[in-house]
Amino acid sequence: MTSSALHIAIAGPVARVTLNRPEVRNAFNEGLIAELTAAFTELGAREDLRAIVLAAEGKAFCAGADLNWMKAMAGYSWEENHADATRLADMLWAIYSCPLPVIARVQGDVYAGGVGLVACADIVVAVDTAGFCLSEAKLGLLPATIGPYVVKALGEQASRRYFVTAERFDAAQAQRLGLVHEVVAAEALDAKVDELVAAITANGPAAVRACKRLVKDVAAREITPELRDDTARRIADIRASAEGREGVQSFLNKSRPSWLPG
């Protein structure tokens, strides 16, 4: 599946979604936003897939908003601006809430809305030369639609700094802050991404989806009797499922579960 703005390739249980606007540093416009929303909605609904890799062509991963798109927005009414921002918010939610694990393969710089894309991924691997910048304040704007995801990823204190200063920070700092999980040399980027994909696909497919939901559902919640009961129900559900029973029996019998090849 290919368009002018987005490439989608599926090999076995893994989908690769690649931003394909290198001439504008993979910046967002209405078309790319719509295609990303549709891609993650449709891929996330497929039972045959186990993971999605989000990547980009060219020197930059994503530079935020496209300049021509910004020029058009300059004349928008409040209602038009709200509708436009809602489409971006829907795209970010489609990625963040995708049932499948999403690995961001960051091969270059990440600015503004691009930081939101990275923050929506479950695992982020970046080259050591990548730079990050929440640059909205330089334009008299704010990182509003990406804010919920970036604050979750960076934490409140770091967000308070980088939202208001619009400073650039490097991949090592992004890793220290928790936005990035792995920082590697450019020649090691694909090997690290493939290693993580292999780790995910070695696990029970339903268990992986349930693990992703679990983190999002319990993060920042108070540990109440209701939450304790909810977690007990979740483990009971998966223990009693066909996949859970097979996984435990395979472990006890030292056999291979059906989700592993060979």
Side-chain angles (χ1 to χ4, degrees):
M1 298 169 62
T2 301
S3 74
S4 60
L6 200 65
H7 285 172
I8 302 174
I10 298 173
V14 181
R16 295 180 185 270
V17 177
T18 304
L19 309 181
N20 186 41
R21 305 186 76 223
E23 70 282 0
V24 292
R25 297 169 62 82
N26 296 306
F28 296 134
N29 62 8
E30 287 184 349
L32 181 57
I33 287 170
E35 289 185 37
L36 279 169
T37 304
F40 277 87
T41 301
E42 293 168 14
L43 293 171
R46 289 183 54 158
E47 293 296 328
D48 59 321
L49 294 178
R50 309 272 293 278
I52 300 174
V53 176
L54 176 61
E57 295 285 355
K59 294 182 178 179
F61 180 78
C62 181
D66 179 273
L67 290 177
N68 290 324
W69 186 41
M70 292 177 69
K71 287 177 185 176
M73 285 189 289
Y76 281 5
S77 66
W78 185 93
E79 289 76 14
E80 289 170 321
N81 270 297
H82 182 251
D84 187 77
T86 298
R87 287 188 286 270
L88 178 59
D90 289 344
M91 180 204 74
L92 295 166
W93 178 250
I95 298 171
Y96 179 78
S97 64
C98 179
L100 298 169
V102 177
I103 302 173
R105 176 193 180 275
V106 179
Q107 91 297 356
D109 285 350
V110 187
Y111 276 69
V115 180
L117 272 186
V118 169
C120 287
D122 299 293
I123 305 173
V124 181
V125 184
V127 294
D128 52 12
T129 55
F132 298 78
C133 184
L134 291 151
S135 55
E136 286 86 350
K138 290 182 182 293
L139 305 180
L141 303 174
L142 79 166
T145 49
I146 67 172
Y149 310 102
V150 176
V151 172
K152 280 180 177 292
L154 284 182
E156 183 179 348
Q157 280 297 89
S159 297
R160 288 167 70 174
R161 171 179 175 172
Y162 290 107
F163 278 24
V164 301
T165 64
E167 296 169 275
R168 179 184 165 97
F169 54 99
D170 62 18
Q173 177 70 345
Q175 185 179 35
R176 284 191 290 270
L177 295 172
L179 177 64
V180 169
H181 297 94
E182 298 280 351
V183 175
V184 297
E187 59 270 20
L189 180 61
D190 286 322
K192 177 54 70 172
V193 170
D194 290 346
E195 177 187 317
L196 290 163
V197 167
I200 290 168
T201 56
N203 301 327
V208 167
R209 291 171 180 246
C211 285
K212 178 168 178 173
R213 280 197 309 274
L214 177 65
V215 173
K216 288 179 170 50
D217 289 349
V218 306
R221 283 182 61 184
E222 183 181 354
I223 303 174
T224 61
E226 291 76 19
L227 180 59
R228 299 200 305 272
D229 181 63
D230 175 54
T231 58
R233 288 176 180 275
R234 290 180 194 231
I235 188 62
D237 286 344
I238 206 156
R239 281 178 182 168
S241 71
E243 180 177 296
R245 292 181 187 277
E246 180 187 359
V248 171
Q249 286 302 313
S250 297
F251 174 75
L252 295 174
N253 298 333
K254 296 182 171 55
S255 59
R256 294 174 68 83
S258 60
W259 57 80
L260 287 177

